[in-house]
Amino acid sequence: MEYNVKVDAFEGPLDLLLHLINRFEIDIYDIPVAQITEQYMMYIHTMQELELDVASEYLVIAATLLAIKSKMLLPKHEEEELAEYDEFDEEEDPRQELIQQLVEYRKFKEAAEGLRLREEERKLAHSKLPSDLSHLHESAKEEQQELDVTMYDMLSALQKMMKRKQIQRPVRTTITRQEIPIEKRMEEIVVSLRKLKKRTSFFDLFPSEEKPHIVVTFLAVLELMKQNSIVVEQEGNFDELFVSYREGRDS
């Protein structure tokens, strides 16, 4: 006879056994078979009294518990006489196989509970349809151009330019001091680049050979790069730098 109706209270006989072990605070590795068998059979009888169809696996575990209980209750001399008819190994704990099944089942049960909790957490998250992020991709490309030129590249270009200008110590003893505000030089560079409407050599931004003017111009270029007002490009390592005005930066 087949028993097809599932008992909703438990997912199977091992689940029922775990319930009993937890309820009576029993060590799963040292199960008191007599006590657990009595409680298990009470559940089976209750299911039958309620006219619930008990699945066959519940009856298999019930028979296993009864066999283990009988084995452990046998006196020593009877155990030796019946050894050849006994299905259990004399030196092996008759509970060992059932304990192993319970330990493995508990692992899967705990893993299933963990997945259930993750599912509940996921239900609290809401997703949306994909968005068009192409404009961010273009912005990233523009920013990447700025990162292609490092401060070391800028200093290297400045060194080359100063050698090209062949700046030397002045022969005259009279020194003329002329201060140029960085803001003014920044405006001059922007106006010049906007008029050209194309990129120009980094060296062309330094028309004067006076050292103060060169320093102020260099600082002005760095500040304009920081503000994303200009673009500094380099086609290859140690190649010449080119500067252009960034469109859409009109103040």
Side-chain angles (χ1 to χ4, degrees):
M1 181 176 181
E2 252 183 72
Y3 301 92
N4 297 322
V5 179
K6 177 181 177 183
V7 181
D8 293 332
F10 303 99
E11 296 181 3
L14 294 179
D15 196 57
L16 174 54
L17 280 178
L18 276 182
H19 166 74
L20 295 173
I21 289 172
N22 294 331
R23 178 183 175 185
F24 294 100
E25 299 180 352
I26 295 172
D27 182 2
I28 195 172
Y29 293 100
D30 187 20
I31 299 175
V33 178
Q35 179 185 1
I36 209 72
T37 300
E38 180 183 357
Q39 294 297 326
Y40 185 89
M41 295 306 299
M42 284 178 59
Y43 272 88
I44 297 297
H45 293 154
T46 302
M47 292 177 190
Q48 292 174 338
E49 289 176 5
L50 294 173
E51 297 182 355
L52 295 175
D53 289 335
V54 182
S56 57
E57 57 262 29
Y58 283 88
L59 301 179
V60 171
I61 293 296
T64 302
L65 287 171
L66 291 173
I68 295 174
K69 178 181 177 181
S70 301
K71 171 67 177 178
M72 297 187 71
L73 290 176
L74 282 175
K76 184 68 176 177
H77 65 278
E78 291 185 18
E79 185 177 325
E80 293 174 355
E81 293 175 1
L82 299 177
E84 56 180 320
Y85 303 105
D86 201 338
E87 60 177 339
F88 299 110
D89 185 81
E90 191 176 56
E91 298 180 356
E92 185 180 354
D93 188 338
R95 303 170 296 177
Q96 187 61 39
E97 184 177 351
L98 180 61
I99 290 173
Q100 186 63 32
Q101 292 181 28
L102 285 170
V103 170
E104 292 296 325
Y105 178 78
R106 185 172 63 178
K107 289 180 181 178
F108 284 104
K109 188 177 177 66
E110 291 174 350
E113 178 64 16
L115 292 175
R116 187 191 67 80
L117 293 176
R118 290 192 177 187
E119 181 185 9
E120 294 296 326
E121 293 177 359
R122 183 64 184 87
K123 289 180 180 178
L124 301 177
H126 301 276
S127 57
K128 61 183 292 292
L129 294 175
S131 302
D132 183 11
L133 303 178
S134 58
H135 62 287
L136 298 178
H137 182 64
E138 295 298 328
S139 299
K141 280 185 176 180
E142 292 179 357
E143 293 178 2
Q144 185 64 31
Q145 286 183 341
E146 297 167 15
L147 296 177
D148 287 340
V149 179
T150 66
M151 177 60 69
Y152 297 108
D153 296 324
M154 298 293 292
L155 292 174
S156 177
L158 180 64
Q159 291 176 354
K160 292 179 182 178
M161 188 274 301
M162 293 181 71
K163 288 181 180 179
R164 183 179 297 184
K165 296 288 186 181
Q166 294 182 349
I167 297 178
Q168 299 177 352
R169 292 188 178 184
V171 178
R172 298 179 182 178
T173 56
T174 303
I175 300 177
T176 58
R177 182 181 181 87
Q178 183 180 6
E179 294 185 358
I180 306 174
I182 294 180
E183 292 78 8
K184 181 180 179 181
R185 187 65 188 125
M186 289 169 61
E187 292 178 4
E188 293 174 353
I189 294 173
V190 169
V191 170
S192 176
L193 293 175
R194 289 178 63 185
K195 285 182 179 180
L196 287 173
K197 295 183 179 180
K198 62 179 182 179
R199 68 177 190 173
T200 184
S201 172
F202 173 78
F203 301 126
D204 293 339
L205 299 179
F206 300 85
S208 175
E209 295 185 359
E210 296 181 0
K211 190 171 184 178
H213 188 277
I214 292 175
V215 173
V216 171
T217 300
F218 183 72
L219 296 177
V221 170
L222 294 180
E223 186 63 28
L224 288 171
M225 290 177 62
K226 182 179 178 181
Q227 296 178 4
N228 288 330
S229 297
I230 62 174
V231 178
V232 181
E233 301 171 294
Q234 187 179 42
E235 296 180 356
N237 290 333
F238 309 109
D239 285 352
E240 185 176 356
L241 300 182
F242 291 93
V243 185
S244 59
Y245 178 72
R246 185 187 293 277
E247 296 297 332
R249 297 293 298 180
D250 296 340
S251 58

